[in-house]
Amino acid sequence: MKIVVALGGNALQKEGAPATAEAQLDVIKKTAVYLADMIEEGHQIVIVHGNGPQVGRIVIQNEYASKVTPAMPFDVCGAMSQGMIGYHIQQALRCELVKRGISKPVTSVVTQVVVDKDDEGFKNPTKPIGPFYTKEEAEKIVSEKGYKMKEDAGRGYRRVVASPQPKEIVEISTIKKLFNDGQVLITVGGGGVPVVKNRNDELEGVAAVIDKDFAAEKLAEDLDADVLMILTAVDKIAINFGKPNQIDLDTMTIEEGKKYIEESQFAPGSMLPKVKATMKFVSSKEGRKAIIASLDKTKDALNGKSGTTIKSTDRVLCASI
């Protein structure tokens, strides 16, 4: 099968571990085992990764070093995070494939993604980036830097930035050529570097982070993938999450998903974009499949033994997702 795999933060770094390159590479080496399993079984995969913590730290590094060397704009920091994370995945996955006697090129493509300059996301920043802070630390940062800070799923406070919807993957023709050549691709990293088109159809970077789940969905449609698989820290989608009456879902229809969204069952910036992205993908064409699962249950999830499989029962609903 042709599978677009979207990697969550847990696939790139371990919570509580030092934010070093060595620590990140160590986690990615473990992640590469699960990716290699899919390749060994004959699946053709494309990898999309997030970059929230990493781009946030790159921005912090730029700010602290600004007295020594000029700080880079936000979109450039996003491109830097693509290169850094892509390099680590390339290295770790190639090493794992070599161990298994599999000869397959692994390539990263620094990717630009067009967004609408009038997107509502610019008016209401929701995308968390950077490290977690206590409430007191967050209030101090707001007063000193004017950043927008929001509580993130009970784990602390993080800076939030604009998260516009992806409209067009600029390098898609190159991605298709490499994909059709049988290469393992890492692309649309961090949702892609967000750019807008000016009056002359030229591209200009903007300060934002596109949600990697929505970008992965767009990529999956463009590549006519069979499966969109979003790997995260939990085994399944849950309703009443964290409550005594929590229910883990083996399957979810679009109709059910819309109902749960109306009930605010899914946290914005966390599970909500994953649910919306998978619903959109399975609605886009008959026979497409979407899965939300934990990284360590990848094999079982592909075989329907773990994770949540999203089903399409009413294609008309896609337009309003």
Side-chain angles (χ1 to χ4, degrees), residues 12-316:
L12 304 177
Q13 65 177 42
K14 185 177 180 180
E15 191 171 345
T20 62
E22 293 80 9
Q24 178 173 279
L25 182 56
D26 184 57
V27 173
I28 292 175
K29 283 179 179 177
K30 295 179 176 66
T31 296
V33 172
Y34 302 108
L35 299 174
D37 285 343
M38 285 190 276
I39 295 168
E40 192 168 36
E41 289 186 351
H43 301 301
Q44 188 175 6
I45 70 170
V46 180
I47 301 159
V48 177
H49 60 78
N51 72 341
Q54 291 83 2
V55 73
R57 292 192 177 97
I58 291 170
V59 170
I60 291 171
Q61 289 171 342
N62 271 263
E63 289 177 347
Y64 274 93
S66 60
K67 293 181 180 179
V68 180
T69 185
M72 294 292 104
F74 198 97
D75 58 306
V76 175
C77 291
M80 291 168 69
S81 73
Q82 274 195 28
M84 173 183 68
I85 298 168
Y87 159 62
H88 275 169
I89 297 175
Q90 277 180 221
Q91 190 179 85
L93 184 53
R94 181 185 179 279
C95 182
E96 184 63 29
L97 292 175
V98 168
K99 285 181 185 177
R100 301 182 188 208
I102 299 172
S103 178
K104 224 171 196 0
V106 183
T107 307
S108 294
V109 180
V110 175
T111 319
Q112 302 171 94
V113 175
V114 177
V115 300
D116 186 343
K117 62 182 176 58
D118 297 318
D119 190 290
E120 287 296 315
F122 289 108
K123 300 175 184 177
N124 179 34
T126 57
K127 181 64 180 175
I129 65 166
F132 289 91
Y133 298 97
T134 65
K135 185 177 181 181
E136 292 73 22
E137 289 171 334
E139 289 174 346
K140 184 178 180 183
I141 291 170
V142 170
S143 64
E144 290 179 352
K145 298 183 179 294
Y147 292 165
K148 290 185 180 294
M149 307 287 287
K150 286 186 179 180
E151 198 275 332
D152 183 5
R155 297 175 291 177
Y157 287 78
R158 297 175 77 186
R159 179 186 176 186
V160 291
V161 297
S163 184
Q165 291 293 308
K167 297 295 183 183
E168 175 190 345
I169 299 171
V170 177
E171 289 78 18
I172 191 62
S173 61
T174 299
I175 293 166
K176 285 180 177 179
K177 287 176 183 177
L178 293 171
F179 183 69
N180 292 335
D181 190 46
Q183 298 201 31
V184 179
L185 294 180
I186 303 141
T187 188
V188 198
V193 179
V195 295
V196 296
K197 290 184 177 180
N198 64 21
R199 292 179 181 177
N200 299 319
D201 208 34
E202 296 171 337
L203 301 176
E204 298 177 356
V206 290
V209 173
I210 300 168
D211 189 280
K212 67 101 176 37
D213 299 315
F214 288 127
E217 191 283 327
K218 173 63 176 166
L219 178 65
E221 283 198 44
D222 287 352
L223 292 177
D224 194 23
D226 302 301
V227 179
L228 171 61
M229 175 172 254
I230 298 180
L231 299 177
T232 185
V234 295
D235 287 341
K236 299 179 181 183
I237 296 173
I239 56 173
N240 306 318
F241 182 74
K243 299 177 182 178
N245 60 339
Q246 175 175 322
I247 300 173
D248 295 337
L249 305 176
D250 295 325
T251 62
M252 186 184 74
T253 65
I254 292 177
E255 185 177 349
E256 290 168 337
K258 287 182 68 68
K259 175 177 175 288
Y260 297 146
I261 289 170
E262 289 174 0
E263 295 172 353
S264 300
Q265 290 282 0
F266 309 121
S270 180
M271 188 56 73
L272 182 59
K274 294 172 176 56
V275 170
K276 284 188 172 183
T278 53
M279 288 168 62
K280 187 174 188 298
F281 180 68
V282 298
S283 299
S284 61
K285 185 179 178 181
E286 194 70 38
R288 286 176 172 169
K289 180 179 179 181
I291 303 167
I292 297 175
S294 64
L295 177 66
D296 60 348
K297 298 287 181 65
T298 304
K299 269 189 177 181
D300 287 342
L302 279 175
N303 294 319
K305 298 178 181 178
S306 185
T308 302
T309 299
I310 291 78
K311 298 180 177 181
S312 175
T313 57
D314 188 345
R315 293 172 59 80
V316 176

